[in-house]
């Protein structure tokens, strides 16, 4: 049996080395099998993103009849913790532990936060919907319970991802770190795709009982996979004792050094935020759009998340090959924004054409363009990060990206409701009020944001070669 197991591992490793983007980051000291095991934390993050953004928003709006504004705010709540990612990365860079670990304590705390949020979430959502005897409770009870659950999942998800990526860069050789982080990001997309298909299959015939089982199953899976991912990954260093060190910089000092490294860090972060908002404002609306306008089922609309992630995976794979040949990562990010323009046009025209195929094509292109954009900005961030600040650099990138995504998703849901209400009740506009009106307004706004992203990104092209040593 051990011989068969070794052969299967050789086949799996060979397959991964040949086909996975960034799989060439593996080294004798850090083999691909260990990298793939570490990447399990990204699988759980992808599963959480799919459940929150891809499944629950559709279930809450359509099946549980929760207003889209409340849903958008709830789905965006986990991202309120995003601005703290830079601080978390910095703390894990300089953590003092009697056990000699820097990253493991933070990843474990994040895992427990995710588990707790998922454990209470299904019951909070059922109370929020007012179903059964829960309708006798005050409205704020369901809203508060759901808000706490979403916040716990968000805090855990951001902590695990930020510190996990920092641990991956610790384990890799300096020249391989961008590739290792890229591999982690690809595994995030893989987790999103697999969980989207799985959730879609489980919820094909929706019932509240199935919703409880799916969410609590996600809680248990998160705990198991994260423990496996962490097992014997970080070495213990006794010199990292619990005694504080006077030579450690403060967060403000480290941030000041990061911002003043001569590579327009602030402009890069602002551009990342603008492009991320352009690609994510529709996240909370795609599945309701498919269900309300194109009459797709819960299972069909949940699979849209997989379609979006597949597009992102292909975009990331293509960007990996092109960037490895020396292409400027900011130019790659611009190409991603350009791909997003026809993508949103396809999504818009799917309504008058009543074509699920055109809609799915637009969703796939959104994922593809987002993959190109995300890869380009991630690679630029890693390549331009000052020495010994990988956690801070990744935290800043993740903080800006996640914060922009959260604000954009909340704005998308609110704008959809406001515009739909205006065109429905105003005597001058009610004549063209259709279910797609509010959605289309948001998609047109995203087209404008993409054009603004391209304009802001162009001056950064060529900055990759101007790295200033620390």
């Amino acid at each position: 049996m051990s011989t068969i197991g070794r052969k299967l591992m050789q086949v799996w490793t060979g397959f991964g080395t040949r086909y996975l983007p960034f799989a060439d980051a593996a080294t004798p000291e850090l083999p691909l099998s260990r990298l793939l095991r570490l990447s399990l934390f990204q699988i759980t993050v992808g599963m959480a993103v799919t459940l929150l953004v891809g499944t629950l928003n559709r279930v809450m709006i359509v099946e549980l009849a929760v207003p889209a504004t409340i849903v958008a705010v709830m789905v965006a709540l986990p991202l309120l913790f995003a601005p703290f990612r830079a601080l978390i990365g910095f703390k894990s860079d300089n953590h003092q532990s009697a056990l000699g670990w820097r990253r493991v304590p933070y990843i474990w705390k994040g895992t427990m936060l995710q588990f707790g949020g998922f454990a209470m979430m299904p019951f909070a959502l059922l109370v929020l919907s007012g179903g059964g005897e829960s309708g006798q409770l005050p409205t704020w009870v369901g809203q508060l319970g759901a808000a706490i659950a979403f916040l716990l999942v968000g805090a855990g998800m951001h902590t695990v991802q930020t510190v996990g990526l920092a641990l991956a860069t610790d384990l890799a050789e300096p020249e391989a770190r961008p590739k290792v982080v890229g591999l982690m990001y690809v595994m995030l997309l893989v987790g999103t795709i697999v969980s989207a298909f799985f959730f879609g299959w489980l919820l094909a015939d929706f019932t509240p009982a199935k919703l409880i089982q799916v969410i609590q199953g996600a809680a248990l899976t998160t705990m198991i996979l994260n423990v496996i991912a962490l097992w014997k990954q970080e070495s213990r260093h006794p010199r990292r004792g619990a005694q504080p060190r006077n030579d450690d910089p403060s967060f403000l000092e480290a941030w000041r050094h990061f911002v003043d490294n001569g590579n327009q860090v602030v402009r890069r972060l602002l551009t990342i935020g603008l492009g991320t908002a352009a690609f994510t404002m529709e996240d909370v609306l795609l599945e309701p759009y498919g269900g309300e306008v194109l009459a797709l089922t819960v299972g069909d609309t949940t699979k849209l998340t997989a379609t979006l992630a597949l597009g992102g995976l292909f975009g990331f794979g293509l960007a990996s090959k092109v960037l490895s040949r020396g292409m400027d990562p900011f130019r790659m990010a611009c190409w991603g924004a350009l791909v997003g323009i026809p993508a949103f046009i396809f999504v818009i025209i799917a309504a008058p054409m009543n074509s699920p195929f055109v809609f799915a094509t637009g969703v796939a292109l959104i994922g593809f363009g987002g993959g190109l954009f995300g890869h380009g900005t991630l690679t630029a961030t890693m390549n331009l990060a000052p020495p010994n600040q990988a956690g801070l650099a990744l935290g800043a990138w993740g903080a800006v990206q996640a914060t922009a995504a959260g604000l954009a998703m909340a704005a998308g849901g609110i704008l959809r409701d406001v515009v739909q209400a205006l065109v429905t009740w105003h005597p001058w506009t009610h004549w063209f009020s259709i279910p797609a009106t509010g959605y289309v307004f948001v998609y047109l706004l995203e087209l404008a944001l993409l054009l603004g992203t391209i304009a802001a990104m162009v001056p950064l092209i060529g900055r990759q070669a101007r790295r200033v040593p620390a």
Side-chain angles (χ1 to χ4, degrees):
M1 180 63 68
S2 60
T3 302
I4 296 176
R6 284 196 299 270
K7 289 183 178 179
L8 288 175
M9 182 58 69
Q10 291 173 358
V11 171
W12 171 245
T13 304
F15 176 84
T17 304
R18 183 174 181 182
Y19 294 106
L20 279 178
F22 297 104
D24 57 346
T27 62
E29 295 78 15
L30 186 61
L32 184 60
S33 58
R34 186 179 177 187
L35 273 175
L36 292 177
R37 182 165 63 85
L38 177 61
S39 69
L40 290 176
F41 80 87
Q42 285 286 70
I43 299 290
T44 64
V45 172
M47 179 177 63
V49 171
T50 299
L51 193 58
L52 297 182
V53 178
T55 301
L56 289 182
N57 79 84
R58 152 70 195 247
V59 169
M60 292 169 71
I61 291 175
V62 180
E63 275 68 33
L64 300 181
V66 179
T69 297
I70 295 179
V71 174
V73 173
M74 290 295 174
V75 173
L77 278 177
L79 299 172
L80 290 178
F81 202 79
F84 297 100
R85 288 180 64 146
L87 179 61
I88 293 171
F90 165 77
K91 289 291 186 181
S92 69
D93 284 339
N94 301 277
H95 182 63
Q96 306 298 322
S97 170
L99 297 176
W101 284 323
R102 291 190 302 166
R103 314 295 189 186
V104 169
Y106 285 90
I107 299 177
W108 176 247
K109 291 176 184 177
T111 300
M112 294 302 295
L113 289 172
Q114 276 184 271
F115 180 85
F118 279 138
M120 67 179 295
M121 184 176 292
F123 306 104
L125 293 181
L126 294 178
V127 174
L128 177 65
S129 67
E133 296 183 0
S134 65
Q136 302 175 4
L137 296 174
T139 304
W140 64 266
V141 174
Q143 295 175 348
L144 178 62
I148 293 174
F150 276 84
L151 280 173
L152 286 175
V153 173
M157 185 171 59
H158 290 301
T159 301
V160 167
Q161 187 177 50
T162 299
V163 183
L165 291 175
L167 175 58
T169 61
D170 291 342
L171 297 176
E173 295 297 325
E175 61 274 7
R177 285 175 183 172
K179 294 182 179 180
V180 169
V181 175
L183 175 60
M184 296 296 112
Y185 194 87
V186 168
M187 296 310 293
L188 171 68
L189 296 178
V190 171
T192 302
I193 295 167
V194 173
S195 58
F197 280 116
F198 193 63
F199 292 151
W201 173 64
L202 290 175
L203 294 174
D205 298 319
F206 175 82
T207 63
K210 284 187 177 181
L211 179 65
I212 295 173
Q213 293 171 349
V214 166
I215 299 178
Q216 294 196 331
L220 181 60
T221 302
T222 296
M223 178 70 71
I224 294 173
L225 293 184
N226 282 359
V227 170
I228 295 174
L230 278 179
W231 188 256
K232 293 185 177 181
Q233 291 285 7
E234 185 180 19
S235 301
R236 294 178 60 187
H237 296 280
R239 63 179 178 274
R240 291 196 202 120
Q243 298 298 323
R245 292 168 49 185
N246 296 327
D247 58 340
D248 284 340
S250 66
F251 174 71
L252 291 179
E253 291 173 344
W255 179 258
R256 197 175 297 114
H257 177 264
F258 175 65
V259 171
D260 295 339
N261 70 354
N263 282 294
Q264 297 191 22
V265 172
V266 175
R267 183 185 182 90
R268 283 193 285 119
L269 293 178
L270 289 175
T271 306
I272 290 169
L274 185 63
T276 300
F279 276 111
T280 56
M281 187 175 288
E282 86 293 336
D283 275 2
V284 76
L285 300 176
L286 283 178
E287 297 201 18
Y289 180 77
E292 186 176 357
V293 177
L294 299 176
L296 301 178
T297 65
V298 174
D300 290 336
T301 55
T302 299
K303 292 174 184 176
L304 287 174
T305 304
T307 303
L308 188 71
L310 277 172
L313 184 60
F314 281 114
F316 224 82
L318 176 62
S320 172
K321 292 184 178 180
V322 175
L323 289 175
S324 65
R325 298 171 184 171
M327 184 178 184
D328 187 283
F330 294 119
R331 189 180 301 276
M332 176 61 67
C334 282
W335 278 109
L338 286 171
V339 171
I341 294 175
F344 283 105
I345 293 176
F346 277 22
V347 171
I348 292 171
I349 65 175
M353 294 179 64
N354 194 27
S355 173
F357 175 76
V358 173
F359 179 47
T361 301
V363 171
L365 286 176
I366 291 174
F368 182 72
L372 297 179
F373 180 83
H375 192 307
T377 57
L378 176 59
T379 302
T381 299
M382 288 305 303
N383 289 346
L384 296 172
N388 302 319
Q389 287 191 320
L392 180 60
L394 283 167
W397 177 81
V400 171
Q401 189 184 55
T403 302
L407 293 176
M409 283 191 289
I414 293 171
L415 287 173
R416 180 265 176 193
D417 282 358
V418 170
V419 171
Q420 195 66 42
L422 287 175
V423 299
T424 300
W425 298 107
H426 198 283
W428 292 356
T429 57
H430 72 275
W431 58 273
F432 66 86
S433 174
I434 58 176
T437 303
Y439 297 103
V440 170
F441 176 84
V442 175
Y443 302 148
L444 290 173
L445 179 58
E446 289 181 285
L447 285 174
L449 288 175
L450 286 173
L451 294 174
T453 300
I454 295 171
M457 187 75 72
V458 168
L460 293 173
I461 297 176
R463 287 278 174 180
Q464 189 70 14
R466 302 176 190 178
R467 179 171 182 168
V468 176

